[in-house]
Amino acid sequence: MAQQLIQNVVDIMDNAHSQQQQLTESMSSLSEAKQQVKFSAEQSKKCLKEHFKWLEEKALENLRSRLNELLSEVDVVTATALTPLMDCEEMLNSSISAAARIMEEGKKILGNNPNDHIEDLVKFKDNPDTRQLHSVPEIPCLADVPYLSVDNFHPDLEKKLHKLFENEGRVLERAPAQISEIEERPGSLLITWAEVDDEVDDEVEAGEFCLQYCYGRVQSNEDKNITFHTAYTGPNTFCTIRHLKTNTPYSFRVCSRPEGEEKWSIWSVPRTAHTTIPHYQWNNTTEGYSTSNEDKTATRLSEGTTRVLYSSDNSYRCGFPITFRVLDAGEKTPFDGIGLSANDEDTETLQRSNSIFVATSGSVFVDGQEMKTKLPMLTRGSAATIETEDLGNGKVRVSIEVEGKAVTFDWKVDQKADVGRLMGLGMGPASTSVCLYFGMRFSHEDWKVGVE
């Protein structure tokens, strides 16, 4: 009895310890969330202050520029209007001076016995200034002279400015598009994103997205020392980033814009993830083939007997896509092609039981039996993608697509041959899943196939 009670105490303590660890981890996540809110708030305030300071400077700059432009226009009109008036004033002053001289000269002649100085009287009469006495410059009337004034001051300008500035800037709790899920793939990551309902205009939906990634863990888009690379631009809401190193962190972010717009939205919060699943690899010790590009590419050599080149192990797991890319092609024979197999025991052919085989002719064989549906031929530049779904009880749904044409069927796999225990793939608890080998067989040289 006492021993059972003691064991109960131990079990409760273990539960409490586990609970404490979970709560501590939750506290760490909570602290990270609080830090994100505070940091983003400070960055937003800084951005707002900088923008409105710039806006204020630009507004004053434009106001001063407009004022100087109008003042210069007043100066030009003034100078243009005063020039003829000043010329007229000069003429008047000259005529007034001439009239004064004539009056003075006439006084002298009249005061100096004019009857004895007939010659002076004649000269006075013929004096050019005397002849101009009846000429008076025409003075423009005030209606013809500019009277400067200013108008066109918009009475509702203040309201317009208020309305303009009232809509300047917007505070968003989150970016309009956010990364919603990241799934591990062999040597790659499948990134999925979506629009955030509370940040999307009901009348304006995003028509295009842009996904970027970089090496390492990034917590803020404001980090200027980080270089992001564009991985995808288009209407889809998912993208597979390939050729990634295992157990290496990568950061991802996404933005959006309505169709036809040039301006992108702000970036989403960077999400960091890594893949623990190694990329697909060919066996690099098979006679007659050479491998390159970290064993992701295999080339048929001229020497060596014709045999099947399998993957390094049964690394293909149902539920993942696998793509065979024909990088170069040689002479075709009936039993050449690519496929999946439950085992790597038969090195002679893939056109057999427990195998799916796509021949270079486009024929599809399931367990050695040819299907009625035929796919396009495999040639240089072709890509054959196989996707599978584990239906349980050893049954797998298979879809094979080549150059846009696809065939789908259910395949019964030998349980003993292909069901393995996957441990530590970073995809939750260990789970039983169908694991297969992938392979290729070519009789002639120059065939070069990459797998991803």
Side-chain angles (χ1 to χ4, degrees), residues 98-363:
R101 289 195 303 273
I102 291 174
M103 290 175 61
E104 186 64 29
E105 187 177 348
K107 287 181 181 180
K108 290 180 179 180
I109 292 174
L110 293 176
N112 190 23
N113 195 5
N115 292 326
D116 297 334
H117 299 83
I118 299 301
E119 184 179 351
D120 291 340
L121 293 175
V122 174
K123 288 181 178 181
F124 182 78
K125 180 182 177 183
D126 295 335
N127 191 324
D129 290 339
T130 303
R131 294 177 180 178
Q132 296 293 329
L133 289 177
H134 301 290
S135 176
V136 178
E138 183 179 358
I139 307 300
C141 64
L142 294 180
D144 296 331
V145 177
Y147 184 94
L148 279 70
S149 61
V150 292
D151 67 351
N152 203 31
F153 294 139
H154 299 290
D156 57 346
L157 181 59
E158 182 179 356
K159 292 182 179 178
K160 290 181 178 180
L161 289 174
H162 176 74
K163 185 176 181 180
L164 178 65
F165 293 142
E166 186 179 36
N167 297 320
E168 181 67 14
R170 182 172 59 156
V171 177
L172 298 175
E173 291 187 17
R174 292 182 293 173
Q178 293 286 337
I179 294 175
S180 55
E181 188 177 6
I182 301 179
E183 297 181 29
E184 291 187 63
R185 293 287 186 268
S188 61
L189 290 169
L190 173 61
I191 315 299
T192 305
W193 57 88
E195 292 186 85
V196 181
D197 294 337
D198 54 352
E199 300 296 352
V200 176
D201 191 329
D202 293 335
E203 299 180 357
V204 182
E205 294 185 355
E208 193 174 21
F209 300 92
C210 178
L211 175 69
Q212 291 187 339
Y213 76 99
C214 71
Y215 300 101
R217 183 180 298 274
V218 178
Q219 295 181 333
S220 169
N221 289 312
E222 280 68 35
D223 192 340
K224 305 302 181 182
N225 297 320
I226 301 297
T227 301
F228 277 90
H229 308 277
T230 299
Y232 172 79
T233 300
N236 293 336
T237 56
F238 60 90
C239 177
T240 300
I241 310 297
R242 306 181 187 277
H243 311 300
L244 302 181
K245 296 180 179 180
T246 56
N247 300 311
T248 300
Y250 294 87
S251 294
F252 303 88
R253 66 181 185 181
V254 67
C255 66
S256 62
R257 65 181 176 186
E259 187 175 356
E261 294 287 337
E262 293 185 3
K263 184 179 179 181
W264 291 96
S265 70
I266 60 174
W267 290 104
S268 65
V269 176
R271 286 277 302 274
T272 301
H274 66 276
T275 180
T276 58
I277 310 174
H279 58 74
Y280 296 130
Q281 292 177 300
W282 295 107
N283 187 313
N284 58 16
T285 61
T286 302
E287 180 186 359
Y289 296 91
S290 68
T291 61
S292 58
N293 189 23
E294 297 180 321
D295 297 333
K296 290 182 288 187
T297 302
T299 304
R300 179 67 168 95
L301 303 177
S302 58
E303 68 272 6
T305 59
T306 299
R307 62 176 63 230
V308 177
L309 171 65
Y310 287 102
S311 52
S312 57
D313 55 26
N314 58 341
S315 57
Y316 175 74
R317 179 185 179 188
C318 286
F320 295 154
I322 182 171
T323 299
F324 299 86
R325 296 192 182 277
V326 181
L327 305 177
D328 212 343
E331 186 179 341
K332 296 182 176 69
T333 58
F335 297 100
D336 290 350
I338 53 91
L340 299 177
S341 176
N343 56 65
D344 61 349
E345 297 170 358
D346 191 333
T347 61
E348 298 298 323
T349 182
L350 283 169
Q351 190 176 324
R352 58 179 175 82
S353 62
N354 283 324
S355 292
I356 301 169
F357 178 63
V358 181
T360 54
S361 62
S363 298

Side-chain angles (χ1 to χ4, degrees), residues 45-101:
K45 287 182 179 180
K46 179 181 177 182
C47 181
L48 285 171
K49 290 177 181 179
E50 291 177 351
H51 176 72
F52 276 88
K53 181 180 179 181
W54 172 85
L55 193 62
E56 181 181 2
E57 291 174 351
K58 286 298 178 181
L60 289 174
E61 179 183 327
N62 282 277
L63 285 173
R64 293 191 186 100
S65 176
R66 181 56 178 162
L67 174 60
N68 291 332
E69 182 181 343
L70 292 172
L71 291 176
S72 297
E73 189 175 341
V74 170
D75 291 339
V76 170
V77 173
T78 301
T80 302
L82 287 179
T83 297
L85 296 179
M86 293 176 68
D87 292 342
C88 185
E89 181 182 26
E90 185 177 351
M91 292 176 60
L92 287 174
N93 287 329
S94 178
S95 297
I96 291 172
S97 299
R101 289 195 303 273

Side-chain angles (χ1 to χ4, degrees), residues 7-23:
Q7 185 60 44
N8 288 339
V9 172
V10 173
D11 292 342
I12 292 173
M13 290 179 64
D14 286 342
N15 291 334
H17 179 67
S18 177
Q19 177 75 355
Q20 185 184 40
Q21 287 183 325
Q22 293 181 7
L23 292 175

